[in-house]
Amino acid sequence: MPPSRRSRAAEAAAAALLALLAAACGSRLPESDFEHRDRGTSTQAAAPIRVGIITSATSPVGGTAFTGPRDGAKAWFDRLDAHGGIDGRRVEVRECDDGGSGVGNNECVHRLVDEDRVVALVATTALDYAGASRVSHARVPDIGGQPIGAAYDTWPHLYGIYGSLAPRDGTPGWGGTLYGGTEVYRYFKREHGARTAAVVSYNQASSAAYARLVERGLRAEGYKVVTEQVDFALPNFAAVAADLKEQGADLVFDAIDSHGNARLCAALDDVGARITAKVTNVQNWTSTVAEDYKDAPRCRNALWATGSSRNFEDTSHRAVREFREATEGFGTRSQWQLEGWAAAKWFTDAARSCAPSGITRACVDAFMQRTRGYTAGGLLLPVSYERQAEPPRTRRTCLSVARWRDGEGWVSQGDMDRTCFEVPQLPYEP
């Protein structure tokens, strides 16, 4: 059975909500990837293949919070077109910024789906995917989107970057309930002997709800759990850090925003707390750690990230090297950029399979429906889409793990294809 990463979706949703809270206060890629057949039509004369990218680029969260997947996808398509496109046709990317609102998202869907007649959406990253049902009813495949909400576990024709087993019949998950695994907590218990874990949250509904989900997972894995809640407007991180030191916490998880995380880390350094890991999620898996955590060198070097895609700094892997070469001009790099690159490659593989008969929405969607164990050339843990009538009670789940080291960046911890566990699937409400 393929790996389950529903907890990744819960993390992405929580990270988006927490960021919103904060806002309220050179080289060539291998020819094999870009080769095309000469079908007697010149690249200049052939009609372009039109795809759409919806991004909450100017949302209340901030200008760069959601742009990583878009930038990674565009980098793939730029390089693809430079090498002849798909079957001699270039890919024309139509972008739309929905502003992070449901109204804006519906406007983007209307423009791209109805007016621009895109073949597919790619690497959607929307704070409020209000137009998801419209995309589904139009039978437009949405490929490799970030599951910030429950849309990718609700609607057919939507294919999130981490896959889904849910029926996707118009109701989230199974009767309104989603399921996530405990693999992250199992990993730190097995590999590092962690026994006491802290969960830090704000006294705000979304933050507290995600914290409760983390607590449940930790308790299911046998941890002693220390809960800490701080005031959103006036957080006392010094008091939290002092208590975590006294309680002897091995791990620190959180349901707070990036700025709060940096302040918490600085407070932990100030009191001399020594923790095994300060665990963050894929949205914060970026190259800007040294700057973001400049006031917390000890805690900074205890930062760990977990996810479902190969570390963007793992240059031992060819597919990662290709991504890095194509994004050499980027000021910063991130895991979300790599996942956007993977989403664009996914569309390309689907479109190439359709080229002999015609690259249409229906053909691309049929390719996606057949997806079993897709990895984007080794960048993703195997992704599948199934429609299981009942949720699984347990699943074999794999994860990608990296640790920050000053002077080295994010250092991969083991092989993500072999870091796997049979773990329970716990229910949660989207």
Side-chain angles (χ1 to χ4, degrees):
M1 183 174 283
S4 167
R5 274 92 64 191
R6 291 307 317 144
S7 54
R8 303 285 87 74
E11 288 175 355
L17 289 168
L18 296 170
L20 183 58
L21 289 176
C25 303
S27 298
R28 287 167 59 88
L29 293 179
E31 295 296 332
S32 60
D33 270 338
F34 298 101
E35 64 187 1
H36 61 279
R37 293 180 294 275
D38 181 0
R39 296 174 59 85
T41 304
S42 70
T43 302
Q44 289 76 18
I49 302 164
R50 192 173 290 171
V51 301
I53 301 180
I54 299 175
T55 309
S56 297
T58 58
S59 73
V61 173
T64 61
F66 295 112
T67 55
R70 177 201 68 187
D71 295 344
K74 288 176 63 180
W76 170 273
F77 288 132
D78 286 346
R79 189 53 64 99
L80 179 69
D81 286 346
H83 288 75
I86 301 172
D87 202 41
R89 300 169 64 186
R90 70 182 182 88
V91 176
E92 179 184 320
V93 176
R94 294 290 180 96
E95 297 179 55
C96 192
D97 173 11
D98 67 10
S101 73
V103 172
N105 187 265
N106 272 310
E107 290 175 351
C108 281
V109 168
H110 172 65
R111 185 191 311 168
L112 297 177
V113 171
D114 302 324
E115 295 181 357
D116 292 345
R117 301 295 299 173
V118 298
V119 173
L121 299 176
V122 178
T124 300
T125 313
L127 182 61
D128 181 359
Y129 199 176
S133 62
R134 192 170 188 167
V135 173
S136 179
H137 290 148
R139 298 178 178 269
V140 176
D142 177 343
I143 300 173
Q146 289 292 337
I148 294 170
Y152 293 98
D153 279 305
T154 302
W155 300 104
H157 313 294
L158 273 59
Y159 306 94
I161 195 71
Y162 306 136
S164 177
L165 300 182
R168 294 187 293 141
D169 55 5
T171 301
W174 290 264
T177 301
L178 301 178
Y179 290 78
T182 61
E183 61 274 10
V184 173
Y185 320 124
R186 180 77 59 88
Y187 170 82
F188 284 102
K189 182 178 180 181
R190 190 189 77 174
E191 298 296 326
H192 301 283
R195 293 294 180 268
T196 302
V199 185
V200 182
S201 64
Y202 288 128
N203 60 342
Q204 189 277 343
S206 298
S207 177
Y210 180 64
R212 288 192 294 270
L213 175 62
V214 176
E215 291 168 30
R216 287 187 60 206
L218 287 165
R219 294 187 193 282
E221 290 296 333
Y223 282 85
K224 173 188 174 183
V225 180
V226 179
T227 59
E228 304 279 355
Q229 191 171 89
V230 295
D231 184 78
F232 175 61
L234 296 170
N236 187 349
F237 289 115
V240 170
D243 190 51
L244 294 185
K245 179 182 179 182
E246 183 176 346
Q247 297 274 5
D250 302 311
L251 308 178
V252 178
F253 294 86
D254 70 87
I256 61 179
D257 59 287
S258 298
H259 178 65
N261 263 299
R263 293 180 62 191
L264 173 60
C265 260
L268 289 168
D269 272 18
D270 288 344
V271 301
R274 296 186 178 276
I275 57 177
T276 299
K278 169 69 184 72
V279 187
T280 189
N281 55 57
V282 68
Q283 193 177 15
N284 296 317
W285 193 340
T286 74
S287 62
T288 62
V289 168
E291 178 183 352
D292 296 341
Y293 293 83
K294 61 181 182 299
D295 297 324
R298 185 185 296 114
C299 181
R300 181 174 69 232
N301 282 279
L303 282 177
W304 294 65
T306 63
S308 300
S309 52
R310 195 171 300 277
N311 179 10
F312 72 90
E313 296 203 62
D314 183 6
T315 56
S316 67
H317 197 279
R318 191 189 74 173
V320 176
R321 291 196 302 273
E322 294 165 359
F323 161 75
R324 294 184 65 85
E325 289 164 1
T327 57
E328 191 172 1
F330 285 17
T332 61
R333 289 193 178 96
S334 72
Q335 203 65 18
W336 263 15
Q337 290 170 357
L338 180 139
E339 292 185 351
W341 171 275
K345 174 173 169 49
W346 202 344
F347 167 78
T348 301
D349 290 341
R352 280 184 174 142
S353 77
C354 296
S357 59
I359 301 172
T360 64
R361 291 174 175 178
C363 184
V364 171
D365 188 64
F367 177 95
M368 297 302 298
Q369 288 188 38
R370 297 192 301 270
T371 292
R372 295 291 185 274
Y374 184 81
T375 69
L379 292 176
L380 304 174
L381 285 166
V383 182
S384 296
Y385 298 96
E386 302 173 30
R387 294 187 177 184
Q388 296 189 0
E390 300 293 332
R393 295 184 178 181
T394 64
R395 295 204 72 197
R396 177 175 167 79
T397 307
C398 304
L399 72 160
S400 175
V401 185
R403 180 180 184 179
W404 178 267
R405 290 290 196 185
D406 285 349
E408 300 179 71
W410 290 103
V411 180
S412 298
Q413 306 295 303
D415 184 344
M416 71 176 189
D417 294 312
R418 293 183 174 85
T419 306
C420 307
F421 310 91
E422 186 76 25
V423 295
Q425 300 295 296
L426 305 179
Y428 67 93
E429 302 299 319

